[in-house]
Amino acid sequence: MRADYKRCLQSDYERRFRPPAPDRKYRPDQPRDSWGRWVDAGGANATSTATGITDHRVLSDASGDPIVPGAQYAQNRVRNPLTTIWINGQQFELTPGQAARLAVAEARADFSTARVREIDPNWKPTQSWAQTPEGIIKAYNAEAREAQDRAYELSRQGIAPGPFAGESIPARGPKCDFTAAERREINRIGEATGCHTCGTLYPGTMLRNFVPDHQPPSALNSSGRAQRLYPQCAWCSKQQGGAVRRFQLGKYK
Ligand SMILES: [Zn+2]
């Protein structure tokens, strides 16, 4: 995962609760205490102007003269802006442990949700109305579980590569015009790892060939993603047809 994955995966909570206000960003003109926390201008800790916080040499991070008065303000500044979050207009200070757990829970929820949405772009987690940082951590964990359950359910129905999916081969297109070589490959994989949906080693077809199954299913691939072929048994192949139709009708549960 890229270190800056959060730029691509902005969570619902982030959008809903955390204002992208400039006050979350580091602003060099804000007075800070010796821990790098913001303090009210003119407040008890507002000695920063006197110690050179407005000096551009201190603030620019340019490695110049290291013995400027007030240099510790630039060094001690908060590097992780998530130690303060906003929930419904209320500000919460997070402990470092909470901030870490929140980041992990959020990343897990984002990752799991993104995975389900590759299969089911309209999938939405149950809405939560968490009011506290701990509530939000719980909600993220619940969202991750919900997304994983949904992904598993879809994969068991043949709407995504199943729990027994091993190797696969590229599909030339959505048609079922398989070459002898493709059939041989699919049978070889099927004999090794079984039907990708249910795991059986018995193809269940007259000619004892595994069914080369397109993933994503052609009927659900309106965006034209590159498809791959996985071995599937006759029974799962039949079930999958029904599941795909229910899914298309939005009745899939
Ligand atoms: Zn099967």
Side-chain angles (χ1 to χ4, degrees):
M1 202 180 285
R2 286 163 41 160
D4 61 346
Y5 67 94
K6 274 192 187 267
R7 283 173 48 217
C8 317
L9 295 170
Q10 196 192 20
S11 76
D12 289 344
Y13 271 114
E14 185 111 359
R15 278 190 296 272
R16 241 185 293 150
F17 295 123
R18 214 177 286 153
D23 63 359
R24 283 190 57 232
K25 294 205 186 100
Y26 173 68
R27 256 177 42 216
D29 59 326
Q30 274 180 314
R32 282 161 189 277
D33 67 15
S34 56
W35 292 95
R37 293 174 302 204
W38 299 329
V39 293
D40 289 332
N45 292 326
T47 53
S48 44
T49 42
T51 52
I53 191 87
T54 52
D55 185 331
H56 72 278
R57 286 168 304 175
V58 177
L59 301 165
S60 66
D61 263 359
S63 56
D65 181 3
I67 22 178
V68 219
Q72 73 269 21
Y73 284 95
Q75 284 161 10
N76 288 343
R77 74 180 194 222
V78 176
R79 292 194 184 274
N80 179 1
L82 291 179
T83 48
T84 300
I85 61 168
W86 290 81
I87 305 169
N88 283 341
Q90 207 189 333
Q91 191 177 1
F92 288 88
E93 288 282 331
L94 302 182
T95 64
Q98 254 182 336
R101 284 187 297 116
L102 179 67
V104 168
E106 184 179 11
R108 192 182 286 149
D110 288 347
F111 179 78
S112 307
T113 300
R115 243 186 94 217
V116 175
R117 286 191 180 149
E118 274 176 27
I119 312 164
D120 183 359
N122 299 319
W123 184 82
K124 280 192 183 67
T126 307
Q127 181 122 23
S128 131
W129 303 103
Q131 300 286 328
T132 61
E134 284 304 323
I136 287 187
I137 291 170
K138 255 191 201 153
Y140 277 140
N141 286 334
E143 184 177 319
R145 266 196 304 277
E146 204 181 342
Q148 283 159 16
D149 287 352
R150 175 68 168 158
Y152 182 73
E153 202 182 303
L154 291 170
S155 77
R156 289 287 293 165
Q157 297 284 335
I159 291 179
F164 300 94
E167 284 179 74
S168 60
I169 59 173
R172 282 174 291 108
K175 286 188 196 157
C176 295
D177 54 348
F178 310 113
T179 65
E182 284 169 340
R183 287 208 173 270
R184 265 198 308 279
E185 265 304 275
I186 287 299
N187 282 337
R188 181 189 64 78
I189 299 168
E191 278 157 27
T193 52
C195 164
H196 78 91
T197 309
C198 75
T200 184
L201 294 169
Y202 300 98
T205 56
M206 296 285 278
L207 298 172
R208 296 185 189 158
N209 284 324
F210 276 96
V211 180
D213 179 39
H214 285 88
Q215 289 294 336
S218 302
L220 302 178
N221 193 29
S222 52
S223 54
R225 282 176 291 166
Q227 291 172 295
R228 296 192 70 85
L229 300 173
Y230 293 80
Q232 198 175 38
C233 76
W235 191 82
C236 289
S237 183
K238 214 173 138 192
Q239 294 294 308
Q240 184 186 19
V244 165
R245 275 189 295 280
R246 287 196 297 281
F247 190 88
Q248 283 173 314
L249 294 169
K251 286 179 187 164
Y252 188 86
K253 279 288 163 224

